[in-house]
């Protein structure tokens, strides 16, 4: 048995690296689709505006994608570094799933990103478009495999336990487990939405500053269009996921509703849980709303509490409750903004509503915040299990000395904090510089191949 | 037999990684010793098109090991915890440095330094990992049981030095192939001393293996001895070809020869140690995953591999030949105010249509209620009451939003709000 300190440190290390890694795909999956569509539209219409959009976002995409790749490389090895016993037990199942991700998706992305970023002037525009679309396929495949692997840990099916290892008895059930069918649409919508907020927020900044106006209007319009369509669908998909998870992992639902005893019909806004006593020392709740959300419109049904779960199987209420609140309240704000955007648009004032633009700028990171919150809810809510109901996290950790584990965590936190700062500074600088001019003084358009490397 | 196929897959990925990322790590280290900013920028750009694809092989090696030989994965990774973490952190910083350097217009000394140093650190750590594994790691039941510093042995330190020499050689060979001018001449001059260094490293590490490796190396078996001898002979021939090829045309020859040397060297190592993967006694048989998993992995990966190789070759072909400096960046969109002047003179949309205060307030309250209703329906709050409203209602809202969006977008386009040329003038 490893010491509890090593388990905690390893958990922190995994949480930090996973949330950090996740925030890059959260933007780049949607951005790759956006870039591919923009380049294709440019090819079909020849309108330089779309080339300008493509060039500008390509710069942000390039660095974000690179950071996502290196952070992902770390994840591949972390399963074995700190979680050697877990790696040994689930290698025959999850190793294969992630192996398939690497061979089908990772190589595809890596092979075509070079062409997409540096191919201008070397390949024909059609080949460029092809590379862009291959990148989209790669990022989507990647999301699919990773979600499949993670969902299996949430709700394992299709396996047999042989000795201390898990073996697949039915690969179809392993890959397309029930949790996957709920969580996959949810996360797919989430990554598209978070990219749309990011794009929309930056476009709004140009509108506030009155710069690069056609560029800003066009991208804001696309981003808000996507959001107006996807936000209601996402709220629905998220609700389905929550209902499914509530049925399969009751402790997670209990923790994110923030109740201990099952005698409350309200909806908790704030809680200060006391884990040792099993009660909230402070709590702000809206009466009856919890029951209404639980599909009892009379508002009387009681919301189940965490005391129903045996003590050694309870997740940490702090992280699950506030992770969920971060996701859900950001989602409501996003929904409201998308709705307001649609109303403004129908009234023809989308490009003149100053206050709305300022709010939009603040909403730029909203999607990433919501995804991080959701990820924390899903992963912390699964505790104390690493594979739900089968392997406890404390039994999964490697044989490590405390010093090595602390050194690892310190290294990651330092480097990642530095990277986060650099990434934000890079975005700010790129946005300040603005999109490049593509129209010469004579009014003729410069074409892709003549400009070359961008 | 399947476990040997998994082992072969791991070796293939590792070999490809050592060859491909080896040359770009080597170029990174070389950039530390180059005084010309222009050349250092050139080295970075040369790598920027390919490092991502090169590093993918490391990831493949990692997951193939996890899926195919979970016993090795779970023993080696905790066993070489510190050098592996430092290597990963170095690779993270290196990727960041390459991307940010490539995105910046000129040469940034700081990023160049990070690029060079992290390349060196990653290489040294890889050598320490290999040397640490070859020196043996204690384990039981597929799980590492040793202590934190087990990987630090004299042999692993020698391995780290050897790794630096090998990567530098590959880097120099790649530079001869891809560059012209002074960088090309430098690469040609560096080649032969580096081959000597690699040869010395090979001899020291080869003889040192007998003492470092806690298992009994069975060179008395004729098959093993023959294979080992053959691999060493091929390595020597390839190294001699590289010796001849440095500084001479055709420019691709040194790199091809170095590739041959590296592959033969890896095979010699495998011939000496197989079937043991982690000395003294963890064999491929003991470490292998169950039959079904390996079969799935091998069919999946094997089926995809030709496609992967095909587009990797295509990407390589796109950037074939000598590296050409990309044309200078086009100017960004000037000072903040250009193009905005005309826009500013147009007054903001008139306030007409807003009506009196009460009407505005009433409209906003109604709209807020409508938004709450839409949110409630998409949340399926009424799902327990009327089942049909869920998916149908949500689809209805999404379609309405889409229709509204398309209509307004067309109107904006017709009004010239997206007209780049008009705004630019």
């Amino acid at each position: 048995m490893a010491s509890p300190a090593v388990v905690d440190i390893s958990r922190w290390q995994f949480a930090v690296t996973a949330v950090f890694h996740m925030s890059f795909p959260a933007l780049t999956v949607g951005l790759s689709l956006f870039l591919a569509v923009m380049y294709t539209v440019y090819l079909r219409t020849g309108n330089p505006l779309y080339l300008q959009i493509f060039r500008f976002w390509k710069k942000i995409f390039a660095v974000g994608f690179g950071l996502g790749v290196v952070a992902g490389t770390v994840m591949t090895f972390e399963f074995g570094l700190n979680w050697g016993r877990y790696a040994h037990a689930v290698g025959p199942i999850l190793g294969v799933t992630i192996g398939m991700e690497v061979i089908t998706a990772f190589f595809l992305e890596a092979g075509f990103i070079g062409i997409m970023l540096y191919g201008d002037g070397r390949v024909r525009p059609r080949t460029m478009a092809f590379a862009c679309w291959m990148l989209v396929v790669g990022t989507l495949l990647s999301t699919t495999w990773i979600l499949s692997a993670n969902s299996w840990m949430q709700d394992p099916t299709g396996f047999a336990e042989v000795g201390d290892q898990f073996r697949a008895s039915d690969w179809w059930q392993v890959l397309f487990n029930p949790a996957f069918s709920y969580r996959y649409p949810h996360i797919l919508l989430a990554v598209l939405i978070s990219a749309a907020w990011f794009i929309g927020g930056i476009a709004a900044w140009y509108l506030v500053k009155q710069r690069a106006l056609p560029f800003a209007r066009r991208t804001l319009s696309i981003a808000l269009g996507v959001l107006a369509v996807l936000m209601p669908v996402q709220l629905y998909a998220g609700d389905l996921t929550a209902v499914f998870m509530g049925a399969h992992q009751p402790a997670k639902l209990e923790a994110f509703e923030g109740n201990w005893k099952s005698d409350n019909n309200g909806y908790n806004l704030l809680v200060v849980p006391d884990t040792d006593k099993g009660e909230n020392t402070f709590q702000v709740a809206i009466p009856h709303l919890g029951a209404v959300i639980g599909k009892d419109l009379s508002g009387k049904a009681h919301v189940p509490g965490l005391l129903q779960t045996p003590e050694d199987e309870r997740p940490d209420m702090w992280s699950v409750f506030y992770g969920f609140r971060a996701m859900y309240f950001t989602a409501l704000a996003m929904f409201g903004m998308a709705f307001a955007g649609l109303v403004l648009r129908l009234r023809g004032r989308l490009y003149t509503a100053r206050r709305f633009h300022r709010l939009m700028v603040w909403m730029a990171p909203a999607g990433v915040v919501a995804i991080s919150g959701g990820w924390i809810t899903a992963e912390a809510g699964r505790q104390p299990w690493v594979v739900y109901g089968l392997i406890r996290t404390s039994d999964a950790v490697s044989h490590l000395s405390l010093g090595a584990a602390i050194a690892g965590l310190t290294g990651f936190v330092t480097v990642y904090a530095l990277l986060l700062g650099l990434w934000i500074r890079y975005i700010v600088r790129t946005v300040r510089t603005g999109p490049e001019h593509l129209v010469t003084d004579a009014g003729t358009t410069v074409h892709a191949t003549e400009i070359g490397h961008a | 037999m399947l476990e040997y196929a998994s082992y072969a897959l791991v070796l293939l990925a590792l070999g490809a990684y050592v060859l491909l990322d080896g040359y770009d790590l080597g170029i990174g280290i070389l950039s530390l010793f180059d005084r010309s900013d222009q050349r250092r920028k050139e080295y970075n750009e040369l790598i920027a098109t390919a490092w991502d694809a090169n590093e993918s092989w490391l990831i493949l090696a990692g997951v193939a090991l996890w899926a195919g030989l979970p016993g090795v994965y779970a023993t080696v990774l905790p066993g070489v915890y510190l050098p592996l973490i430092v290597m990963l952190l170095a690779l993270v910083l290196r990727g960041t440095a390459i991307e940010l350097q490539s995105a910046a217009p000129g040469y940034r000394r700081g990023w160049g330094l990070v690029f060079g140093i992290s390349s060196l650190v990653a290489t040294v750590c890889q050598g320490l990992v290999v040397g640490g594994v070859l020196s043996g790691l204690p384990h039981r039941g597929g799980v590492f049981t040793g202590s934190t510093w087990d990987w630090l042995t004299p042999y692993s330190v020698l391995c780290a030095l050897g790794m630096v020499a090998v990567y530098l050689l590959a880097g120099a060979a790649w530079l001869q192939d891809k560059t012209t001018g002074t960088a090309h001449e430098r690469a040609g001059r560096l080649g032969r001393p580096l081959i000597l260094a690699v040869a010395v490293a090979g001899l020291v590490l080869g003889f040192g293996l007998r003492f470092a490796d806690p298992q009994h190396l069975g060179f008395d078996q004729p098959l093993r001895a023959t294979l080992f001898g053959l691999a060493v002979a091929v390595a020597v021939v390839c190294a001699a070809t590289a010796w001849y090829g440095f500084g001479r045309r055709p420019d691709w020859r040194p790199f091809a020869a170095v590739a041959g040397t590296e592959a033969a060297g890896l095979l010699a190592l495998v011939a000496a140690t197989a079937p043991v993967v982690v000395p003294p006694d963890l064999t491929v048989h003991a470490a292998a995953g169950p039959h079904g998993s390996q079969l799935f992995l091998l069919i999946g990966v094997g089926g995809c591999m030709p496609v992967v190789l095909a587009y990797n070759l295509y990407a390589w072909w796109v950037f074939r030949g000598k590296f050409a400096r990309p044309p200078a960046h086009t100017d960004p969109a000037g000072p903040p105010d250009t193009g905005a002047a005309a826009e500013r003179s147009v007054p903001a949309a008139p306030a007409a249509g807003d009506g009196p205060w009460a009407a505005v307030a009433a409209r906003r309250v109604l709209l807020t209620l409508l938004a709450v209703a839409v949110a409630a329906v998409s949340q399926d709050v009424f799902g327990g009451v009327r089942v049909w409203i869920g998916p149908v209602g949500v689809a209805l809202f999404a379609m309405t939003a889409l229709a509204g969006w398309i209509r307004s977008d067309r109107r904006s386009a017709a009004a010239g709000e997206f007209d780049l040329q008009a705004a630019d003038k």
Side-chain angles (χ1 to χ4, degrees), chain A residues 76 82 87 92 108 118 127 210-211 213 217-218 221 236 239 328 399 401 435-437, chain B residues 66 73 81 102 146 148 293 311 330 333 336 340 343 378-379 391 405 409 417 424:
Chain A
T76 320
N82 285 58
L108 194 65
Y118 301 96
T127 315
Q210 289 287 300
R211 283 176 62 186
L213 288 172
R217 290 189 194 120
R218 180 75 271 184
S221 161
Y236 184 68
D239 184 59
Y328 186 63
H399 178 81
S401 70
E436 53 194 303
H437 268 301
Chain B
W66 187 16
Y73 185 82
Y81 189 79
S102 171
T148 316
S293 300
Y311 62 66
T330 42
E343 209 62 36
S378 15
Q379 283 272 275
W405 181 72
D409 199 67
E417 283 173 326
D424 260 15

Short mmCIF file of all heavy atoms in Angstrom, two decimals, chain A residues 76 82 87 92 108 118 127 210-211 213 217-218 221 236 239 328 399 401 435-437, chain B residues 66 73 81 102 146 148 293 311 330 333 336 340 343 378-379 391 405 409 417 424:
data_model
loop_
_atom_site.label_atom_id
_atom_site.label_comp_id
_atom_site.label_asym_id
_atom_site.label_seq_id
_atom_site.Cartn_x
_atom_site.Cartn_y
_atom_site.Cartn_z
N THR A 76 -0.14 10.44 -21.92
CA THR A 76 0.08 9.05 -22.32
C THR A 76 0.96 8.31 -21.33
O THR A 76 0.78 7.12 -21.10
CB THR A 76 0.78 9.01 -23.69
OG1 THR A 76 0.23 10.01 -24.50
CG2 THR A 76 0.62 7.67 -24.32
N ASN A 82 2.52 7.46 -12.40
CA ASN A 82 2.00 7.49 -11.04
C ASN A 82 1.00 6.39 -10.75
O ASN A 82 0.68 6.13 -9.61
CB ASN A 82 1.33 8.84 -10.77
CG ASN A 82 2.34 9.93 -10.57
OD1 ASN A 82 3.15 10.18 -11.46
ND2 ASN A 82 2.33 10.56 -9.42
N ALA A 87 -2.33 0.90 -14.44
CA ALA A 87 -1.91 0.63 -15.81
C ALA A 87 -1.82 -0.87 -16.06
O ALA A 87 -2.22 -1.36 -17.11
CB ALA A 87 -0.56 1.29 -16.08
N PRO A 92 -4.87 -4.04 -20.80
CA PRO A 92 -5.45 -4.81 -21.90
C PRO A 92 -6.74 -4.19 -22.46
O PRO A 92 -7.16 -4.55 -23.55
CB PRO A 92 -5.76 -6.16 -21.25
CG PRO A 92 -4.82 -6.26 -20.11
CD PRO A 92 -4.64 -4.86 -19.61
N LEU A 108 -2.80 11.14 -37.73
CA LEU A 108 -3.50 11.88 -38.78
C LEU A 108 -3.33 13.38 -38.56
O LEU A 108 -2.97 14.13 -39.48
CB LEU A 108 -4.98 11.50 -38.75
CG LEU A 108 -5.82 11.89 -39.96
CD1 LEU A 108 -5.34 11.15 -41.17
CD2 LEU A 108 -7.28 11.58 -39.72
N TYR A 118 2.27 25.11 -42.87
CA TYR A 118 3.40 25.58 -43.67
C TYR A 118 3.23 25.27 -45.15
O TYR A 118 4.16 25.43 -45.92
CB TYR A 118 4.70 24.96 -43.15
CG TYR A 118 4.96 25.28 -41.71
CD1 TYR A 118 4.61 24.40 -40.71
CD2 TYR A 118 5.53 26.49 -41.36
CE1 TYR A 118 4.82 24.71 -39.37
CE2 TYR A 118 5.75 26.81 -40.03
CZ TYR A 118 5.40 25.91 -39.05
OH TYR A 118 5.60 26.23 -37.74
N THR A 127 -5.37 20.95 -51.93
CA THR A 127 -4.67 20.07 -50.99
C THR A 127 -4.70 20.67 -49.60
O THR A 127 -4.85 19.96 -48.60
CB THR A 127 -3.22 19.87 -51.44
OG1 THR A 127 -3.23 19.62 -52.84
CG2 THR A 127 -2.58 18.73 -50.73
N GLN A 210 -13.53 48.84 -32.66
CA GLN A 210 -13.80 49.35 -34.01
C GLN A 210 -12.65 49.10 -34.98
O GLN A 210 -12.22 49.98 -35.72
CB GLN A 210 -14.13 50.85 -33.97
CG GLN A 210 -15.48 51.13 -33.33
CD GLN A 210 -16.63 50.74 -34.25
OE1 GLN A 210 -16.77 51.24 -35.36
NE2 GLN A 210 -17.46 49.80 -33.81
N ARG A 211 -12.12 47.89 -34.94
CA ARG A 211 -11.04 47.52 -35.86
C ARG A 211 -11.48 46.36 -36.72
O ARG A 211 -12.32 45.58 -36.30
CB ARG A 211 -9.82 47.06 -35.06
CG ARG A 211 -9.03 48.15 -34.44
CD ARG A 211 -7.92 47.54 -33.62
NE ARG A 211 -7.00 46.75 -34.44
CZ ARG A 211 -6.00 46.03 -33.94
NH1 ARG A 211 -5.81 45.99 -32.65
NH2 ARG A 211 -5.21 45.34 -34.72
N LEU A 213 -13.40 45.61 -39.12
CA LEU A 213 -14.83 45.40 -38.90
C LEU A 213 -15.47 44.26 -39.70
O LEU A 213 -16.22 43.46 -39.12
CB LEU A 213 -15.58 46.71 -39.12
CG LEU A 213 -15.30 47.69 -37.98
CD1 LEU A 213 -15.89 49.05 -38.29
CD2 LEU A 213 -15.86 47.17 -36.68
N ARG A 217 -17.35 41.29 -37.80
CA ARG A 217 -18.78 41.02 -37.95
C ARG A 217 -19.02 39.61 -38.45
O ARG A 217 -19.89 38.89 -37.95
CB ARG A 217 -19.38 42.00 -38.96
CG ARG A 217 -19.44 43.41 -38.46
CD ARG A 217 -20.24 44.24 -39.43
NE ARG A 217 -20.05 45.66 -39.18
CZ ARG A 217 -19.56 46.49 -40.08
NH1 ARG A 217 -19.23 46.07 -41.29
NH2 ARG A 217 -19.42 47.77 -39.79
N ARG A 218 -18.20 39.23 -39.46
CA ARG A 218 -18.41 37.91 -40.05
C ARG A 218 -18.19 36.81 -39.00
O ARG A 218 -18.99 35.89 -38.85
CB ARG A 218 -17.45 37.74 -41.22
CG ARG A 218 -17.50 36.44 -41.97
CD ARG A 218 -18.69 36.33 -42.88
NE ARG A 218 -19.84 35.75 -42.19
CZ ARG A 218 -20.99 35.46 -42.77
NH1 ARG A 218 -21.19 35.73 -44.04
NH2 ARG A 218 -21.97 34.94 -42.09
N SER A 221 -20.86 36.79 -36.26
CA SER A 221 -22.11 36.25 -36.77
C SER A 221 -22.08 34.72 -36.81
O SER A 221 -23.02 34.06 -36.38
CB SER A 221 -22.36 36.81 -38.17
OG SER A 221 -23.27 36.01 -38.86
N TYR A 236 -30.06 20.30 -23.11
CA TYR A 236 -30.83 19.05 -23.13
C TYR A 236 -29.91 17.84 -22.97
O TYR A 236 -30.15 16.96 -22.15
CB TYR A 236 -31.62 18.98 -24.44
CG TYR A 236 -32.51 17.79 -24.53
CD1 TYR A 236 -33.61 17.67 -23.70
CD2 TYR A 236 -32.26 16.77 -25.44
CE1 TYR A 236 -34.44 16.57 -23.77
CE2 TYR A 236 -33.08 15.67 -25.53
CZ TYR A 236 -34.16 15.57 -24.68
OH TYR A 236 -34.98 14.48 -24.76
N ASP A 239 -28.57 17.54 -19.50
CA ASP A 239 -29.57 17.02 -18.56
C ASP A 239 -29.69 15.50 -18.68
O ASP A 239 -29.75 14.80 -17.68
CB ASP A 239 -30.91 17.70 -18.85
CG ASP A 239 -31.96 17.28 -17.85
OD1 ASP A 239 -31.73 17.51 -16.65
OD2 ASP A 239 -32.98 16.70 -18.25
N TYR A 328 -22.49 24.44 -14.73
CA TYR A 328 -23.90 24.67 -14.98
C TYR A 328 -24.23 26.16 -15.05
O TYR A 328 -24.94 26.61 -15.96
CB TYR A 328 -24.72 23.99 -13.89
CG TYR A 328 -26.19 24.07 -14.14
CD1 TYR A 328 -26.73 23.45 -15.27
CD2 TYR A 328 -27.03 24.76 -13.29
CE1 TYR A 328 -28.08 23.53 -15.54
CE2 TYR A 328 -28.39 24.84 -13.54
CZ TYR A 328 -28.91 24.22 -14.67
OH TYR A 328 -30.23 24.31 -14.93
N HIS A 399 4.30 2.35 -6.87
CA HIS A 399 5.20 2.29 -5.72
C HIS A 399 6.20 3.43 -5.86
O HIS A 399 7.20 3.32 -6.55
CB HIS A 399 5.91 0.93 -5.73
CG HIS A 399 6.90 0.76 -4.64
ND1 HIS A 399 6.53 0.41 -3.38
CD2 HIS A 399 8.23 0.91 -4.63
CE1 HIS A 399 7.62 0.34 -2.62
NE2 HIS A 399 8.66 0.63 -3.35
N SER A 401 8.25 6.95 -4.00
CA SER A 401 8.58 7.63 -2.74
C SER A 401 7.88 8.98 -2.72
O SER A 401 7.55 9.54 -3.77
CB SER A 401 10.09 7.83 -2.62
OG SER A 401 10.51 8.81 -3.55
N PRO A 435 -5.77 40.91 -37.70
CA PRO A 435 -5.65 40.17 -38.94
C PRO A 435 -4.88 40.97 -39.98
O PRO A 435 -4.88 42.19 -39.94
CB PRO A 435 -7.10 39.95 -39.37
CG PRO A 435 -7.88 40.99 -38.68
CD PRO A 435 -7.15 41.32 -37.42
N GLU A 436 -4.22 40.27 -40.89
CA GLU A 436 -3.41 40.98 -41.88
C GLU A 436 -4.27 41.50 -43.03
O GLU A 436 -5.35 40.99 -43.29
CB GLU A 436 -2.32 40.05 -42.41
CG GLU A 436 -2.88 38.74 -42.92
CD GLU A 436 -1.78 37.72 -43.13
OE1 GLU A 436 -0.87 38.02 -43.89
OE2 GLU A 436 -1.85 36.63 -42.55
N HIS A 437 -3.75 42.55 -43.67
CA HIS A 437 -4.44 43.08 -44.84
C HIS A 437 -4.26 42.15 -46.02
O HIS A 437 -3.17 41.70 -46.29
CB HIS A 437 -3.83 44.43 -45.23
CG HIS A 437 -4.53 45.57 -44.58
ND1 HIS A 437 -5.87 45.81 -44.77
CD2 HIS A 437 -4.09 46.52 -43.74
CE1 HIS A 437 -6.21 46.86 -44.07
NE2 HIS A 437 -5.15 47.32 -43.42
N TRP B 66 1.86 -0.14 -23.34
CA TRP B 66 0.80 -0.26 -22.35
C TRP B 66 -0.19 -1.35 -22.74
O TRP B 66 -0.56 -2.21 -21.93
CB TRP B 66 0.09 1.10 -22.19
CG TRP B 66 -0.90 1.11 -21.08
CD1 TRP B 66 -1.00 0.21 -20.06
CD2 TRP B 66 -1.95 2.06 -20.88
NE1 TRP B 66 -2.04 0.55 -19.23
CE2 TRP B 66 -2.64 1.68 -19.71
CE3 TRP B 66 -2.36 3.19 -21.58
CZ2 TRP B 66 -3.73 2.40 -19.24
CZ3 TRP B 66 -3.44 3.91 -21.09
CH2 TRP B 66 -4.13 3.51 -19.93
N TYR B 73 5.20 -1.88 -19.10
CA TYR B 73 4.79 -0.48 -18.92
C TYR B 73 4.69 -0.14 -17.44
O TYR B 73 5.21 0.88 -16.99
CB TYR B 73 3.45 -0.29 -19.62
CG TYR B 73 2.89 1.11 -19.66
CD1 TYR B 73 3.31 2.02 -20.62
CD2 TYR B 73 1.89 1.50 -18.78
CE1 TYR B 73 2.77 3.29 -20.69
CE2 TYR B 73 1.35 2.77 -18.83
CZ TYR B 73 1.78 3.66 -19.80
OH TYR B 73 1.24 4.92 -19.85
N TYR B 81 10.92 7.00 -12.92
CA TYR B 81 9.99 8.12 -12.72
C TYR B 81 10.63 9.48 -12.97
O TYR B 81 10.17 10.25 -13.82
CB TYR B 81 9.46 8.06 -11.29
CG TYR B 81 8.34 9.01 -10.99
CD1 TYR B 81 7.05 8.71 -11.40
CD2 TYR B 81 8.56 10.18 -10.30
CE1 TYR B 81 6.01 9.58 -11.13
CE2 TYR B 81 7.53 11.06 -10.03
CZ TYR B 81 6.26 10.75 -10.45
OH TYR B 81 5.23 11.62 -10.18
N SER B 102 8.46 29.92 -33.99
CA SER B 102 8.04 29.87 -35.38
C SER B 102 6.97 30.93 -35.66
O SER B 102 6.90 31.48 -36.76
CB SER B 102 7.53 28.48 -35.70
OG SER B 102 6.94 28.46 -36.96
N GLY B 146 10.96 -1.22 -6.71
CA GLY B 146 12.26 -0.68 -6.31
C GLY B 146 12.15 0.68 -5.66
O GLY B 146 11.09 1.09 -5.19
N THR B 148 13.50 5.07 -5.57
CA THR B 148 13.45 6.23 -6.46
C THR B 148 14.66 6.36 -7.37
O THR B 148 14.53 6.80 -8.51
CB THR B 148 13.35 7.51 -5.60
OG1 THR B 148 12.40 7.27 -4.58
CG2 THR B 148 12.95 8.69 -6.43
N SER B 293 -6.64 -8.78 -26.42
CA SER B 293 -6.23 -7.38 -26.48
C SER B 293 -5.13 -7.19 -27.51
O SER B 293 -5.14 -6.25 -28.30
CB SER B 293 -5.71 -6.93 -25.13
OG SER B 293 -6.70 -7.05 -24.18
N TYR B 311 0.58 8.73 -45.53
CA TYR B 311 0.48 10.18 -45.46
C TYR B 311 1.67 10.83 -44.78
O TYR B 311 1.97 11.98 -45.03
CB TYR B 311 -0.87 10.66 -44.92
CG TYR B 311 -1.25 10.26 -43.53
CD1 TYR B 311 -0.56 10.72 -42.43
CD2 TYR B 311 -2.35 9.45 -43.32
CE1 TYR B 311 -0.92 10.36 -41.16
CE2 TYR B 311 -2.73 9.09 -42.05
CZ TYR B 311 -2.02 9.55 -40.97
OH TYR B 311 -2.39 9.20 -39.71
N THR B 330 3.65 39.23 -44.16
CA THR B 330 2.94 40.40 -44.65
C THR B 330 2.59 41.28 -43.45
O THR B 330 2.50 40.80 -42.33
CB THR B 330 1.64 39.97 -45.36
OG1 THR B 330 1.06 38.95 -44.58
CG2 THR B 330 1.95 39.47 -46.74
N ALA B 333 -2.55 44.42 -39.89
CA ALA B 333 -3.52 45.44 -40.33
C ALA B 333 -3.26 46.81 -39.73
O ALA B 333 -4.13 47.43 -39.16
CB ALA B 333 -4.93 45.00 -39.99
N PRO B 336 -4.37 50.73 -35.14
CA PRO B 336 -5.74 50.35 -34.77
C PRO B 336 -6.82 51.12 -35.50
O PRO B 336 -7.92 50.59 -35.68
CB PRO B 336 -5.79 50.66 -33.27
CG PRO B 336 -4.38 50.63 -32.82
CD PRO B 336 -3.53 51.01 -33.98
N ALA B 340 -11.35 52.32 -39.62
CA ALA B 340 -12.43 52.55 -38.67
C ALA B 340 -13.04 53.93 -38.85
O ALA B 340 -14.17 54.17 -38.44
CB ALA B 340 -11.91 52.40 -37.25
N GLU B 343 -16.20 54.08 -40.58
CA GLU B 343 -17.22 53.41 -39.78
C GLU B 343 -17.74 54.34 -38.68
O GLU B 343 -18.93 54.36 -38.39
CB GLU B 343 -16.59 52.17 -39.16
CG GLU B 343 -17.54 51.05 -38.91
CD GLU B 343 -18.14 50.53 -40.21
OE1 GLU B 343 -17.45 50.50 -41.24
OE2 GLU B 343 -19.33 50.21 -40.17
N SER B 378 -35.38 22.93 -22.75
CA SER B 378 -34.19 22.18 -23.17
C SER B 378 -33.64 21.35 -22.02
O SER B 378 -32.99 20.35 -22.23
CB SER B 378 -33.11 23.09 -23.75
OG SER B 378 -33.34 24.42 -23.44
N GLN B 379 -33.91 21.78 -20.80
CA GLN B 379 -33.49 20.98 -19.64
C GLN B 379 -34.44 19.83 -19.38
O GLN B 379 -34.23 19.07 -18.46
CB GLN B 379 -33.47 21.88 -18.40
CG GLN B 379 -32.28 22.77 -18.35
CD GLN B 379 -31.15 22.07 -17.66
OE1 GLN B 379 -31.04 22.06 -16.48
NE2 GLN B 379 -30.31 21.42 -18.44
N PRO B 391 -37.01 15.99 -26.91
CA PRO B 391 -36.25 16.10 -28.15
C PRO B 391 -36.95 16.97 -29.19
O PRO B 391 -36.30 17.80 -29.85
CB PRO B 391 -36.13 14.67 -28.65
CG PRO B 391 -36.77 13.81 -27.66
CD PRO B 391 -37.30 14.61 -26.53
N TRP B 405 -31.23 33.03 -37.83
CA TRP B 405 -29.84 33.39 -38.07
C TRP B 405 -29.57 33.53 -39.58
O TRP B 405 -28.96 34.50 -40.02
CB TRP B 405 -28.93 32.33 -37.47
CG TRP B 405 -27.49 32.63 -37.66
CD1 TRP B 405 -26.78 33.59 -37.03
CD2 TRP B 405 -26.61 31.99 -38.57
NE1 TRP B 405 -25.49 33.59 -37.48
CE2 TRP B 405 -25.35 32.62 -38.42
CE3 TRP B 405 -26.73 30.94 -39.49
CZ2 TRP B 405 -24.24 32.24 -39.16
CZ3 TRP B 405 -25.63 30.56 -40.21
CH2 TRP B 405 -24.41 31.20 -40.06
N ASP B 409 -28.44 36.92 -41.39
CA ASP B 409 -27.11 36.90 -41.97
C ASP B 409 -27.17 37.35 -43.43
O ASP B 409 -26.33 38.11 -43.90
CB ASP B 409 -26.52 35.50 -41.86
CG ASP B 409 -25.02 35.51 -42.02
OD1 ASP B 409 -24.35 36.07 -41.14
OD2 ASP B 409 -24.53 34.98 -43.04
N GLU B 417 -22.20 44.55 -44.88
CA GLU B 417 -21.50 44.60 -43.60
C GLU B 417 -20.30 43.67 -43.55
O GLU B 417 -19.46 43.79 -42.67
CB GLU B 417 -22.48 44.27 -42.47
CG GLU B 417 -23.38 45.44 -42.17
CD GLU B 417 -24.47 45.11 -41.17
OE1 GLU B 417 -24.97 43.97 -41.16
OE2 GLU B 417 -24.85 46.00 -40.41
N ASP B 424 -11.63 48.23 -46.38
CA ASP B 424 -10.19 48.42 -46.44
C ASP B 424 -9.80 49.73 -47.12
O ASP B 424 -8.69 50.21 -46.94
CB ASP B 424 -9.54 47.23 -47.17
CG ASP B 424 -8.94 46.26 -46.17
OD1 ASP B 424 -9.30 46.38 -44.99
OD2 ASP B 424 -8.15 45.42 -46.56
#
